[in-house]
Amino acid sequence: MISPWDRWYSTSCCLCCHVRTGTIILGIWYMLINAVVLLILLSALNDPVQYRYHLTSSELGTDIDVMDDANICIATAISLLMILICGMATYGAYKQHAAWIIPFFCYQIFDFALNTLVAISVVVYPNTVQDYLQQLPGTFPYKEDIMSTNNMCLVFAVLLFIGCILSFKAYLIGCVWNCYRYVSGRGTTEVLVYVTTNDTTVLLPPYEEAVSIPPKEPPPQYMQA
């Protein structure tokens, strides 16, 4: 009987590329995004006066200081950590080291859980959508038109949008998981098969294990008197 894990297992992902290639592309894409965020945060730390000016400008319609120096430092540390995790996943998929992919997979599960909690909060508290719209600046485009829409339609639109995001994230989680299974499977099933005759088969250990085994010393020979 085929288990559910094996039923959904596949070595190909979107655009008919291999799961290793897809994981490498995904890791590089996440690294680029976090690198851009890191550059923005570092520029904010380098010139906090100009940063606060952009936040409190009249175009946003608010004078609230969104982030102080402590929050920017925390966000910078998180961006560095994310770059490290994505780099580990890219290296692990390229060099076929399954353990290096696990941190990125755990991050994907955590991010999926957070988005699921957001969807649940919208269902349980539908008025939060209107509260969020009221907190937007007055210059936000089409704010009045959106707020005049029925609350149930807004909740349905938000849930549909979040559902599409969750479906896409779940597909990416499956791709990374299949890459992990593929890499770990190759590491455990590398066995050389040497056929001696038509009826007998000798299974030899991998080359690395065979090389690490020290050779046996020949038994001592005694001279006859």
Side-chain angles (χ1 to χ4, degrees):
M1 183 177 180
I2 302 176
S3 62
W5 295 106
D6 295 332
R7 186 177 303 171
W8 294 101
Y9 175 70
S10 176
T11 57
S12 61
C13 57
C14 55
L15 300 178
C16 299
C17 62
H18 199 271
V19 287
R20 283 184 58 209
T21 307
T23 304
I24 293 172
I25 296 175
L26 184 62
I28 295 174
W29 173 250
Y30 270 80
M31 278 195 297
L32 291 176
I33 293 177
N34 287 278
V36 172
V37 174
L38 181 62
L39 289 176
I40 295 174
L41 293 173
L42 291 178
S43 62
L45 287 175
N46 188 28
D47 194 0
V49 177
Q50 185 179 2
Y51 176 72
R52 287 193 175 90
Y53 171 75
H54 286 298
L55 283 180
T56 59
S57 62
S58 58
E59 296 178 356
L60 294 177
T62 179
D63 292 332
I64 300 176
D65 191 4
V66 179
M67 295 182 65
D68 53 6
D69 292 339
N71 292 331
I72 294 177
C73 292
I74 295 174
T76 303
I78 293 175
S79 298
L80 288 174
L81 180 62
M82 285 302 306
I83 292 175
L84 177 62
I85 292 175
C86 298
M88 290 175 60
T90 305
Y91 179 80
Y94 179 72
K95 292 294 184 179
Q96 299 189 19
H97 297 309
W100 292 65
I101 308 176
I102 295 177
F104 184 72
F105 178 76
C106 295
Y107 158 73
Q108 286 185 304
I109 296 296
F110 179 74
D111 182 61
F112 184 85
L114 287 181
N115 286 272
T116 304
L117 290 178
V118 172
I120 294 174
S121 65
V122 172
V123 174
V124 177
Y125 303 103
N127 293 327
T128 55
V129 179
Q130 288 288 346
D131 296 338
Y132 176 76
L133 291 175
Q134 291 177 0
Q135 294 176 2
L136 293 175
T139 57
F140 188 82
Y142 306 106
K143 177 183 177 181
E144 298 297 333
D145 296 335
I146 296 175
M147 291 187 63
S148 61
T149 310
N150 188 10
N151 191 26
M152 295 302 298
C153 295
L154 287 176
V155 171
F156 177 77
V158 171
L159 288 178
L160 182 62
F161 179 72
I162 296 176
C164 294
I165 294 177
L166 289 178
S167 300
F168 183 68
K169 288 181 179 292
Y171 180 77
L172 294 180
I173 290 173
C175 293
V176 176
W177 174 249
N178 289 334
C179 177
Y180 170 78
R181 292 190 60 187
Y182 172 79
V183 174
S184 60
R186 283 180 60 90
T188 56
T189 59
E190 286 186 351
V191 178
L192 299 177
V193 179
Y194 176 71
V195 180
T196 56
T197 62
N198 294 331
D199 299 327
T200 60
T201 302
V202 178
L203 298 180
L204 301 178
Y207 176 76
E208 292 79 3
E209 297 182 5
V211 172
S212 61
I213 299 176
K216 295 183 179 180
E217 297 181 357
Q221 298 180 358
Y222 299 96
M223 298 180 61
Q224 296 180 359

